[in-house]
């Protein structure tokens, strides 16, 4: 396992701390699954993995308490149903580690405004209509605190997060330089490049902000309706078609085995295989692929206390690690607390 990916990071190894987070700002969709979640599940086997639900980050887009609570719980359910195993990794909610907010403030005092002004994702989000508030502007500082508070070595993320990891590296190095010590570990990104952008039903990037998603746990009529709505061109049924320019095939290839992929590509090229047929194939593939996860989820929904207990235990483990990093940081910066949490 010494192969490097294009970002130059080594894949995680056993003794490394792996960390990643996902925002609970909507229902999880196929883009999230293939672009992030699948790798998170894989990496829990490959090191000391920390995965968290970034609920403070979600306040930059969800400003409804009931909704944020629900999305947070749903992300926990979804991850557990999909195979996140709290015996193998530390799985928790960001809000269960208050040290993250403490570190975020301290890092903010070292962050030049100009660094945030260059934030690509800030500009994108404002262009999409999010409020340009201070939380959104300094989102990468909170993300840096998320990463640095556990001495993370490797951060597996989609390519869209690369700049935020660079910012985390920069802030860790700045802190260490200013306070003259190895207080914060410099993390490496591990950019997941094996998956091309997953298209949504309108052919643009699948994203909750475009309202074009197929959600991982969509089922029955709702799933069918979305699959049938995937945009295609108007090549008649009997004519040959190009799988590589087809949105339906771009989704099929994510789910199908190599053999099935070959078979479907041939059908496209031969003609006599319409987009309706392709959509039926896609529907069956999605249903089969998530069928075990779907039944695990149904069981967990009926047992919310177990989900909360898992998060509570994950939070406890995460706080313990966070405190070991935070304590020397307080001391170096001269932040004195006149109380003890013991
Ligand atoms: P959304 O665009 O729906 O708001 P997020 O930005 O919350 O999704 O995405 C969370 C993670 O899922 C991102 O880090 C990104 O890498 C991955 N992701 C989201 N949409 C896609 C997509 N269409 N294709 C591939 N990966 C995606
Ligand atoms: N910004 C990430 C996203 O939108 C979520 C996130 C928050 C994160 N904090 C993180 C990812 C720390 C990796 C590490 O997908």
């Amino acid at each position: 396992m010494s192969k490097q990916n294009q970002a130059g990071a080594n894949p995680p190894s056993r003794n490394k701390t792996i960390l990643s987070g996902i925002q609970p700002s909507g229902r999880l969709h196929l883009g999230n699954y293939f672009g992030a979640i699948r790798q998170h599940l894989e990496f829990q086997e490959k090191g000391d993995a920390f995965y968290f639900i970034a609920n403070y980050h979600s306040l930059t887009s969800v400003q409804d308490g009931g909704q944020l609570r629900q999305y947070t719980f749903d992300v926990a359910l979804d991850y557990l149903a999909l195979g996140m195993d709290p015996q193998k990794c530390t799985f928790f909610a960001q809000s269960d580690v208050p040290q993250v907010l403490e570190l975020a403030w301290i890092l903010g005092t070292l962050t030049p405004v100009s660094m945030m002004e260059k934030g690509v994702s800030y500009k994108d989000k404002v262009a999409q209509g999010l409020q340009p508030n201070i939380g959104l502007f300094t989102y990468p500082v909170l993300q840096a605190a998320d990463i640095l508070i556990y001495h993370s070595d490797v951060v597996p993320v989609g390519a869209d997060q690369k700049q935020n990891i660079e910012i985390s590296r920069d802030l860790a190095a700045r802190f260490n330089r200013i306070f003259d010590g190895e207080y914060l570990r410099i993390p490496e990104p591990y950019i997941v490049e094996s998956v091309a952008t997953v298209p949504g039903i309108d052919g643009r990037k699948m994203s909750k902000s475009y309202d074009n998603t197929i959600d991982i746990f969509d089922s029955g009529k709702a799933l069918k309706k979305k699959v049938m709505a995937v945009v295609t061109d108007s090549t008649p049924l009997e004519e040959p078609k190009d799988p590589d320019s087809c949105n339906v095939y771009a989704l099929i290839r994510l789910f199908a085995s190599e053999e099935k992929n070959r078979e479907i590509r041939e059908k496209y090229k031969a003609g006599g295989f319409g987009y309706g047929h392709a959509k039926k194939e896609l529907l069956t593939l999605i249903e089969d692929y998530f069928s075990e996860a779907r039944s695990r989820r149904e069981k967990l929904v009926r047992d919310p206390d177990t989900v909360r207990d898992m998060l509570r235990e994950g939070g406890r483990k995460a706080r313990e690690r966070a405190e070991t990093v935070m304590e020397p940081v307080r001391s170096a910066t001269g932040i004195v607390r006149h109380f003890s949490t013991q």
Side-chain angles (χ1 to χ4, degrees), residues 19-23 52 54 57 94 125 139 143 146-147 155 157 161 164-165:
L19 171 122
S20 199
I22 188 131
Q23 289 191 70
F52 70 95
H57 277 114
Q94 186 183 33
K125 286 175 179 174
Y139 181 115
Q143 182 158 350
D146 287 327
I147 296 170
V155 187
V157 282
Q161 296 294 310
N164 287 349
I165 314 302

Side-chain angles (χ1 to χ4, degrees), residues 19-20 47 71 92 117-118 158 171 192 222 243 262 301 304 310 328 332 334:
L19 171 122
S20 199
Y71 286 153
F92 59 102
E117 280 170 344
K118 292 187 197 112
L171 293 180
V192 176
R262 246 195 320 272
V301 166
M310 285 174 178

Side-chain angles (χ1 to χ4, degrees), residues 31-43:
N32 299 140
Y33 183 77
F34 288 102
I37 302 171
R38 194 172 59 164
Q39 288 72 26
H40 295 168
L41 297 173
E42 212 179 285
F43 285 170

